[in-house]
Amino acid sequence: DQLQERVEVDNQNLRAAEAKYRATRATLESARAPFFPTVSLSAARTRGSATSTSTATAGGTTNYSLAASLNWELDLWGRIRRGVEGARADLAASAADLAAARLSTQALLAQTYVQLRAAEVQADLLRRAADAYGRFLELTRHRLSAGVASPLDVAQAETQLATAETQAIDADSQRAQLEHALAVLVGAAPASFTLAPAPRLPEVPATPALLPSTLLENRPDIAAGERRMAAANARIGVAEAAYFPVLDLTGSYGYRNNALANLISAPNRFWSLGPTLAMTLFDGGARAAEGQLTQTNDSEAVTIYRQTVLTAFQEVEDNLAAARLLERESQAQARALASARRAREIAENQYKAGTSSSLNVVTAQTAELSAEVNATNLQARRLLAAVQLLKNAGGRWSPPA
């Protein structure tokens, strides 16, 4: 839980997703700007020759001007409105992308944590097995000294002990690498991050046998796909509005004179106000091509959305089946482990009584260790499957209130 709190604040990938969301929000504000008039202020000093002979001046004339201008597009055909609609849908899709990144990072953290705890359990199991193998090696050496065991028995026991020690070191190596991965996920340098060992794996949560399909509505990737579909549809309206004339209301007010002194005075004042209607008559097919492009993008967005929904159904079904079947497999493995433990005990007792060879003991010990390793792996797989099911269900197993 503490790591999950840290990952939401310090994970660098989440920060990048948040920055992308803020950029999309700025794009929406930019799309809204044309709803309001644009007002600008200008000041100029120009020098040039007069074209009229009655005002000809040797060396040219100098003019000064100070003016304010206004331009406001009247959105008669909805071009601006559809643009804002598309930008708003893009913002919602970006918010869903951020939620998807957060959910994915949380799931990755949980999975990495489970794998780290599994590596710890494996390393502890192998070290305990190595201790037992060491005691068996000492027993075999004593029996060799007493003349009731052969050097082959000792060599087999030594091989078994060294193999267990090697596997324990390998599990420690895996644990170290997973700890470094956790450090990066929470935005810390691996050298400054440590996680105290745990004695056992977490308990496997009770996973439901059936989930309502409405949970998929909470999946961020589905929400993002639906909003991108809406954005693509809105841009069709923007492309269609290009066929209609643009009506602008323009105006200007200012002062102009050939001398800077008394520039701002009534005789030097000028103003203008009026509508402007502009329409493109020929563009070489640019508008038609833009319309086809927006239609194609809309079709692509619809197809991607449908595929996202189908994939979501598959992922949930896969993990529901995995959770159910892994539980059954774990029960079968528990029975196998109990049988392997009994077989090892019988083989050791027979060896001590001199009625069985050391090979039988080594074989039984190896089988027991393999069964314990498989049991641990199965528990870790069940935990990973539960995490993945929760992620694929949108982060919850019950519909929100």
Side-chain angles (χ1 to χ4, degrees):
D1 292 342
Q2 294 172 356
L3 292 174
Q4 292 287 8
E5 291 175 359
R6 290 182 62 180
V7 78
E8 290 194 25
V9 177
D10 298 325
N11 183 267
Q12 300 303 309
N13 290 330
L14 284 184
R15 287 187 176 184
E18 289 170 351
K20 187 175 182 180
Y21 170 76
R22 292 194 298 269
T24 309
R25 186 171 56 190
T27 302
L28 174 60
E29 296 300 324
S30 177
R32 286 174 175 166
F35 277 131
F36 305 95
T38 301
V39 180
S40 58
L41 180 66
S42 64
R45 175 186 182 276
T46 61
R47 184 172 178 81
S49 60
T51 57
S52 174
T53 56
S54 61
T55 60
T57 304
T61 60
T62 301
N63 289 313
Y64 299 89
S65 64
L66 178 65
S69 60
L70 176 145
N71 184 275
W72 189 13
E73 179 182 346
L74 303 180
D75 191 27
L76 297 179
W77 320 112
R79 184 187 70 84
I80 299 176
R81 290 193 300 274
R82 296 307 299 273
V84 171
E85 180 184 339
R88 187 179 293 114
D90 283 335
L91 179 62
S94 181
D97 288 339
L98 175 58
R102 181 179 295 109
L103 180 61
S104 179
T105 304
Q106 290 170 336
L108 179 60
L109 176 73
Q111 291 169 335
T112 306
Y113 181 86
V114 168
Q115 291 171 339
L116 182 143
R117 293 307 185 198
E120 286 179 348
V121 173
Q122 297 280 27
D124 181 68
L125 171 63
L126 289 163
R127 278 191 289 269
R128 286 189 287 111
D131 291 340
Y133 296 164
R135 291 191 297 270
F136 178 71
L137 175 60
E138 290 300 318
L139 173 64
T140 305
R141 285 172 175 169
H142 290 321
R143 290 174 62 85
L144 176 63
S145 300
V148 293
S150 68
L152 176 60
D153 296 339
V154 174
Q156 289 174 338
E158 289 175 343
T159 301
Q160 187 181 40
L161 174 60
T163 301
E165 291 174 342
T166 302
Q167 292 173 342
I169 295 172
D170 184 66
D172 288 334
S173 175
Q174 293 179 7
R175 198 263 184 201
Q177 293 177 4
L178 291 166
E179 187 178 56
H180 299 162
L182 282 179
V184 173
L185 283 173
V186 298
S192 63
F193 179 85
T194 57
L195 192 66
R200 61 183 180 273
L201 278 169
E203 293 295 328
V204 179
T207 55
L210 191 66
L211 290 174
S213 61
T214 52
L215 280 179
L216 296 185
E217 296 174 357
N218 301 316
R219 278 185 53 139
D221 57 342
I222 290 181
E226 190 275 333
R227 286 293 82 197
R228 288 194 171 90
M229 187 171 58
N233 184 267
R235 291 188 175 92
I236 294 177
V238 175
E240 291 175 345
Y243 285 98
F244 300 95
V246 176
L247 179 61
D248 287 336
L249 182 63
T250 60
S252 62
Y253 183 89
Y255 299 89
R256 184 185 299 116
N257 192 21
N258 56 8
L260 186 59
N262 300 320
L263 173 64
I264 304 177
S265 58
N268 301 323
R269 183 178 59 188
F270 70 92
W271 63 272
S272 66
L273 178 65
T276 301
L277 190 65
M279 180 177 180
T280 302
L281 298 179
F282 179 75
D283 59 5
R287 286 174 297 178
E290 183 66 23
Q292 292 176 358
L293 177 61
T294 55
Q295 291 282 356
T296 302
N297 289 340
D298 180 67
S299 299
E300 180 184 6
V302 170
T303 303
I304 292 175
Y305 172 69
R306 289 173 175 169
Q307 183 61 44
T308 301
V309 174
L310 288 173
T311 302
F313 273 105
Q314 178 192 352
E315 289 175 346
V316 174
E317 293 285 1
D318 286 348
N319 284 278
L320 282 172
R324 181 179 69 255
L325 296 175
L326 283 174
E327 182 178 7
R328 292 170 53 187
E329 187 177 355
S330 181
Q331 295 170 355
Q333 185 60 39
R335 295 192 298 270
L337 175 58
S339 298
R341 187 170 289 122
R342 288 195 304 270
R344 187 262 307 164
E345 292 173 352
I346 293 172
E348 287 181 348
N349 292 333
Q350 289 179 346
Y351 180 70
K352 291 176 182 178
T355 61
S356 178
S357 68
S358 65
L359 178 60
N360 292 336
V361 177
V362 170
T363 302
Q365 289 175 336
T366 302
E368 182 189 19
L369 178 60
S370 177
E372 288 182 327
V373 169
N374 289 339
T376 302
N377 288 336
L378 276 172
Q379 187 178 0
R381 288 173 60 191
R382 290 182 64 195
L383 284 165
L384 294 175
V387 171
Q388 193 65 27
L389 177 60
L390 188 60
K391 172 181 177 290
N392 291 336
R396 60 174 71 238
W397 285 337
S398 59

